[in-house]
Amino acid sequence: MTDPRAASRPTQAVVLAGGQGSRLRPYTDDRPKPMVEIPGTGTPIIGHQLTWLAEEGVTDVVVSCGHLAEVLQKWLETTDLPVSVTTVVETEPLGRGGGLKYAAAHLPHPDRPWYATNGDIWTRFSLRDMADFHTERDAVATLALARPRIPWGAVRTDGFGHITDFIEAPPSTFEINAGVYVFSPEFAGLLPERGDHERTTFPRLARERRLAGFPIPQGSYWRAIDTAKDLTEAAKELATQGR
């Protein structure tokens, strides 16, 4: 039996892959951040992303390139991909919001919803569930929310100031923007031509109660690859979880 919700789930996505990744040097000296390989997989971050998007029903992806764009474009052209990919390159810096708007203009179905993800996110959870969540709340934009682990050990104390326990790398008490999104068709029209949508469009939608937050389910894998340490940790997690 066909799920009636399937018709409202996106089949197109934008991957924002233009960052310089300065904190990942020397890995990013000769390639853009999304082209850095996850140790032990032989596949760059964007390869994992495209596979995940395909598994979640996406057929068309627009990749927004910037830093060392030709390296990413060559890889996309010479790799057997599970989705149809179009690349766009900003001729001048437009900011995160302007870049997203520029990329969205190249989606094959501007009248339909779409996903977006930052190019340095490696994750696995149900985008279909997130799309249903977005539709149920009649949101214009929905952000995935993660609760990352704090990179330091923490202590627990009692009311008298005695330490009662040590906790290694506890999860944060706050949820953060996980860099994965579901957008309704009208969202692109609300983006700035230049500038940062997280300072303009998102706050406006939040005031209007049209911005939703989807908590990534507990136990789902999520990591932002920002530093060499993140690559090392990802490799360890691969070894222990068999991902």
Side-chain angles (χ1 to χ4, degrees):
M1 184 176 179
T2 303
D3 188 338
R5 299 176 299 179
S8 62
R9 294 171 184 159
T11 59
Q12 55 186 356
V14 168
V15 176
L16 297 171
Q20 293 194 12
S22 55
R23 290 197 295 165
L24 261 175
R25 288 177 177 156
Y27 297 100
T28 51
D29 284 345
D30 61 353
R31 68 195 65 193
K33 194 175 183 182
M35 280 299 298
V36 173
E37 292 185 2
I38 302 293
T41 70
T43 303
I45 299 167
I46 194 167
H48 293 281
Q49 291 181 322
L50 295 177
T51 297
W52 174 51
L53 290 169
E55 290 170 352
E56 293 296 322
V58 172
T59 57
D60 296 274
V61 176
V62 175
V63 177
S64 178
C65 308
H67 174 64
L68 296 174
E70 65 281 359
V71 177
L72 177 51
Q73 289 174 318
K74 182 177 179 180
W75 183 84
L76 291 168
E77 290 167 2
T78 57
T79 303
D80 185 16
L81 301 174
V83 292
S84 175
V85 173
T86 301
T87 60
V88 297
V89 181
E90 296 175 31
T91 55
E92 56 183 323
L94 300 174
R96 289 194 296 178
L100 189 59
K101 188 183 188 80
Y102 180 67
H106 294 79
L107 287 167
H109 307 290
D111 58 338
R112 300 181 192 173
W114 46 292
Y115 297 117
T117 182
N118 295 341
D120 59 355
I121 301 298
W122 188 33
T123 186
R124 283 293 187 278
F125 65 90
S126 174
L127 283 175
R128 292 179 173 92
D129 287 350
M130 185 177 173
D132 294 344
F133 180 96
H134 171 85
T135 300
E136 288 161 4
R137 280 147 188 82
D138 196 26
V140 172
T142 296
L143 286 60
L145 304 177
R147 201 181 288 273
R149 291 194 171 275
I150 298 171
W152 308 283
V155 296
R156 182 174 283 132
T157 59
D158 62 18
F160 297 99
H162 299 120
I163 292 177
T164 60
D165 199 7
F166 293 89
I167 308 165
E168 185 63 31
S172 168
T173 56
F174 292 98
E175 292 175 312
I176 66 164
N177 178 351
V180 180
Y181 312 91
V182 182
F183 296 133
S184 294
E186 63 266 36
F187 178 76
L190 302 176
L191 286 165
E193 297 290 339
R194 295 174 182 270
D196 188 351
H197 60 294
E198 295 193 11
R199 296 180 181 274
T200 55
T201 311
F202 280 173
R204 170 186 167 187
L205 290 174
R207 289 192 298 270
E208 296 171 354
R209 296 294 186 270
R210 295 193 296 164
L211 184 68
F214 175 79
I216 294 177
Q218 189 172 2
S220 297
Y221 188 83
W222 180 88
R223 179 174 286 279
I225 308 295
D226 288 322
T227 65
K229 184 179 179 182
D230 290 322
L231 285 173
T232 303
E233 292 297 320
K236 287 180 184 176
E237 290 157 354
L238 269 172
T240 57
Q241 299 180 21
R243 290 178 182 271

